[in-house]
Amino acid sequence: MFYLWLALCGCMTGISAVLFGFGGGFVVVPLLYRMLLGSHDPAISQSAMHVAVATSTCVMIVNALLASAKHRRAGNLIRHYLWPLGGYIGLGAVLGATGAMLASGESIRYAFIAYLALTIADCLLRRGFLQQAERRSARRLGRGETLGGGLGIGAIATFLGVGGSVMTVPLLRRCGLSMTQATSMANPLSVPVALAGTLTYLALARFSHFDLGPWYIGYVDLLAFVVLTLGSLLGVRLASPWIGRIPDGLHARVYIGLLVLVMLSMLAG
């Protein structure tokens, strides 16, 4: 039953990656955290949040690359929004993963909830998200937005085990992009977060005092990773026909609704 739930979760991550830019963290972290918390192995239950976050970043590599390929073929990616922002996000991701290793699982959980609450409030209260900015052409990101935004997105996203889409999507949305374009761009921008985060967790896990077992590399649960990845392949395939077909306003509202559901799930945990 555990792996059936993970397969369904993987399918959801594939769908969310293609349609909303969520590489997996906002689905994988809450579910895997709750499952591992009830483990009979004390080492695993005590490391539940770290395992959930590390495995999430690993799954995001696959989801983000698959979704990016789909959106590239659909013509939704705009190069100057991806670089150098993606490079700064990767640098920030290393800092975020290092910070997460020094923090307790419970503090990461509360940070995850607070992050979601602030993002939801920002999307609802600040102009430019629920309705696409009325401008003839989208503006480019400024230098400060690229440097500060990239480092901040990378650090926060990797600390929490998410792809950073809840920061990149609102940022690009306020540049005048449609929800389809903004969520499309979130996938390739999640790749440096996923790569840097996974490699950092693997490197730093050697300092852990816990022996999590043979099916773990560092904090990454290999069995969970395989099952989630197989499920995500199906999810990507199911969601691909819907690229660009969701009305912009509805797309934005559903995006916020998903954030609310994830936050409530983590509060319940």
Side-chain angles (χ1 to χ4, degrees):
M1 183 60 71
F2 176 83
Y3 291 105
L4 176 60
W5 276 109
L6 282 183
L8 292 173
C9 177
C11 185
M12 292 171 60
T13 66
I15 294 172
S16 67
V18 171
L19 298 182
F20 300 100
F22 298 154
F26 285 105
V27 180
V28 172
V29 171
L31 179 64
L32 198 53
Y33 168 73
R34 292 172 69 88
M35 288 181 169
L36 294 172
L37 201 60
S39 173
H40 296 297
D41 187 328
I44 293 177
S45 61
Q46 290 178 45
S47 304
M49 194 63 187
H50 286 100
V51 172
V53 170
T55 305
S56 168
T57 61
C58 203
V59 173
M60 271 192 284
I61 297 174
V62 179
N63 283 345
L65 289 173
L66 288 174
S68 296
K70 294 289 184 181
H71 285 293
R72 182 184 63 80
R73 287 194 290 269
N76 293 326
L77 301 183
I78 305 173
R79 184 174 181 179
H80 63 75
Y81 288 108
L82 300 178
W83 186 264
L85 181 62
Y88 291 123
I89 288 176
L91 179 59
V94 176
L95 302 176
T98 304
M101 292 296 299
L102 301 175
S104 68
E106 195 66 8
S107 65
I108 295 177
R109 173 173 171 259
Y110 285 125
F112 192 98
I113 293 170
Y115 172 62
L116 283 171
L118 290 172
T119 301
I120 292 166
D122 182 67
C123 290
L124 290 173
L125 299 176
R126 193 187 301 187
R127 297 180 60 185
F129 186 85
L130 288 175
Q131 292 184 342
Q132 187 176 359
E134 296 180 0
R135 59 177 79 241
R136 292 184 178 179
S137 60
R139 68 172 179 85
R140 287 176 176 257
L141 291 169
R143 291 184 179 179
E145 289 176 311
T146 302
L147 175 59
L151 291 175
I153 290 169
I156 294 172
T158 314
F159 183 85
L160 300 176
V162 299
S165 66
V166 293
M167 287 177 283
T168 56
V169 171
L171 176 64
L172 297 175
R173 179 75 165 159
R174 293 185 185 104
C175 288
L177 301 184
S178 68
M179 277 298 294
T180 296
Q181 291 173 319
T183 55
S184 299
M185 232 79 68
N187 285 292
L189 290 174
S190 292
V191 173
V193 170
L195 286 172
T198 298
L199 293 175
T200 304
Y201 281 122
L202 293 177
L204 295 179
R206 68 180 61 185
F207 298 105
S208 169
H209 300 295
F210 298 115
D211 180 13
L212 298 180
W215 291 103
Y216 285 82
I217 297 180
Y219 280 113
V220 177
D221 184 333
L222 293 178
L223 287 177
F225 167 73
V226 171
V227 175
L228 286 164
T229 300
L230 291 175
S232 71
L233 293 174
L234 175 60
V236 168
R237 187 175 184 86
L238 291 174
S240 295
W242 290 92
I243 293 176
R245 300 178 65 180
I246 303 175
D248 192 77
L250 176 62
H251 203 166
R253 286 169 173 77
V254 173
Y255 183 94
I256 295 174
L258 290 174
L259 297 184
V260 172
L261 287 176
V262 174
M263 184 179 71
L264 293 176
S265 172
M266 290 301 289
L267 284 170

